[in-house]
Amino acid sequence: MLLLDLEDSWGVQVSVCTAVACRVPLRTLLADVLPIFAQADGLTKSNWENLQRSHDIVAKLKLPNFIDFVGRLDERSQKYLMAKVRGTLEILRHTGVSKSQKYFTVAWPHGRDVQRGIRIVCEKESYWTRMLADTSDCATFAYMSSQCLESGHCRCSGSLPIWQNAAKLLITAVSLHQRVKTTLSSKSGTTSSSPWALCHEERYIIGTNDIFLKVEVHKPSTSTYALLRPTVLRIPSKYGKRIIEKVTEKASSVARLRERQKPEDDAENVLVTCHI
């Protein structure tokens, strides 16, 4: 795990209050869960308290220049912090979509129990969670958060939240898969300087080689977020790679999307939901 990886949007924050999920940088995930993991570790608890008292480490994790901050720490503090980061992510690597793609596991650490979590069935209104399966260029570290995440479609009731074991919506950003984008540019023989954008009522595919989600785009003129509505597209894994190659080689009208990989990627903000 490199420090640069902490800028990648591999974290998935799930709101206990609204059941809305949101892609966040790994450093944001760490800002939320490291205090719990550190307090649960009685042997090095004082090290964390010193780091928080001297450097306000949680606030620093929320800033995009966190890498520069780590470089200014003394060697002992650096070693402790990075060991705690690696240990935390090692536990959270078991979250995300299961290999069977039946369950979406979300960490819910509390008190001294940092192994606690829940499993959401990837069906019905939570079917979209299958798109969070790990790929060669994107991973998922999912955790429950007390933060009240809202959208125009899912609002906080204001009352004591009751978890319904479902994930209703994902706030993320998507871009055209690079291989498809390159092929489209080379076939047209032109290079466009205008930013890429999703097309209203167009259909795309997003997901892994095992099971794709086919999504339809809705872009209300009054909204800053495009809405992606997925439908099941079951393709046996032995054919998945072949389908992707067809999309790439023949510039199919059904192009492949992927979630944003880096902060600087040309991507469009979207809401993904089966709930509506």
Side-chain angles (χ1 to χ4, degrees), residues 14 19 96-98 101-106 117-123 125-129 144 163-168:
V14 182
V97 179
S98 64
Q101 298 189 341
K102 291 182 179 180
Y103 301 104
F104 176 52
T105 301
V106 185
I118 59 169
R119 290 201 308 180
I120 299 171
V121 180
C122 302
E123 295 291 349
E125 63 183 339
S126 302
Y127 182 79
W128 64 264
T129 56
M144 298 299 295
W163 179 247
Q164 299 179 358
N165 205 39
K168 296 180 179 179

Side-chain angles (χ1 to χ4, degrees), residues 146-166:
S146 59
Q147 183 172 341
C148 186
L149 298 174
E150 294 183 308
S151 77
H153 308 282
C154 298
R155 292 291 185 182
C156 175
S157 63
S159 58
L160 187 65
I162 299 176
W163 179 247
Q164 299 179 358
N165 205 39

Side-chain angles (χ1 to χ4, degrees), residues 23-44:
R23 276 287 188 184
V24 295
L26 282 178
R27 57 178 172 76
T28 299
L29 173 153
L30 291 168
D32 288 342
V33 304
L34 266 183
I36 301 173
F37 279 72
Q39 291 296 322
D41 184 1
L43 295 177
T44 62

Side-chain angles (χ1 to χ4, degrees), residues 22-154:
C22 181
R23 276 287 188 184
V24 295
L26 282 178
R27 57 178 172 76
T28 299
L29 173 153
L30 291 168
D32 288 342
V33 304
L34 266 183
I36 301 173
F37 279 72
Q39 291 296 322
D41 184 1
L43 295 177
T44 62
K45 179 180 176 181
S46 60
N47 291 345
W48 173 261
E49 291 174 345
N50 290 335
L51 198 59
Q52 179 62 20
R53 182 171 54 253
S54 303
H55 300 285
D56 196 8
I57 185 65
V58 171
K60 295 295 193 303
L61 277 163
K62 297 178 181 180
L63 301 175
N65 60 350
F66 178 70
I67 296 176
D68 297 333
F69 161 75
V70 174
R72 294 192 296 269
L73 288 174
D74 61 86
E75 184 178 357
R76 181 180 178 182
S77 296
Q78 280 189 23
K79 287 184 177 180
Y80 166 75
L81 178 60
M82 294 314 298
K84 186 59 64 178
V85 166
R86 285 191 292 269
T88 299
L89 294 180
E90 177 64 22
I91 292 175
L92 295 184
R93 73 182 180 90
H94 299 292
T95 63
V97 179
S98 64
K99 291 183 179 180
S100 66
Q101 298 189 341
K102 291 182 179 180
Y103 301 104
F104 176 52
T105 301
V106 185
W108 200 343
H110 181 74
R112 298 186 65 86
D113 186 4
V114 296
Q115 300 281 354
R116 191 176 75 160
I118 59 169
R119 290 201 308 180
I120 299 171
V121 180
C122 302
E123 295 291 349
K124 299 180 180 178
E125 63 183 339
S126 302
Y127 182 79
W128 64 264
T129 56
R130 297 187 181 203
M131 67 173 277
L132 298 176
D134 290 350
T135 65
S136 59
D137 49 20
C138 187
T140 292
F141 297 83
Y143 69 105
M144 298 299 295
S145 171
S146 59
Q147 183 172 341
C148 186
L149 298 174
E150 294 183 308
S151 77
H153 308 282
C154 298

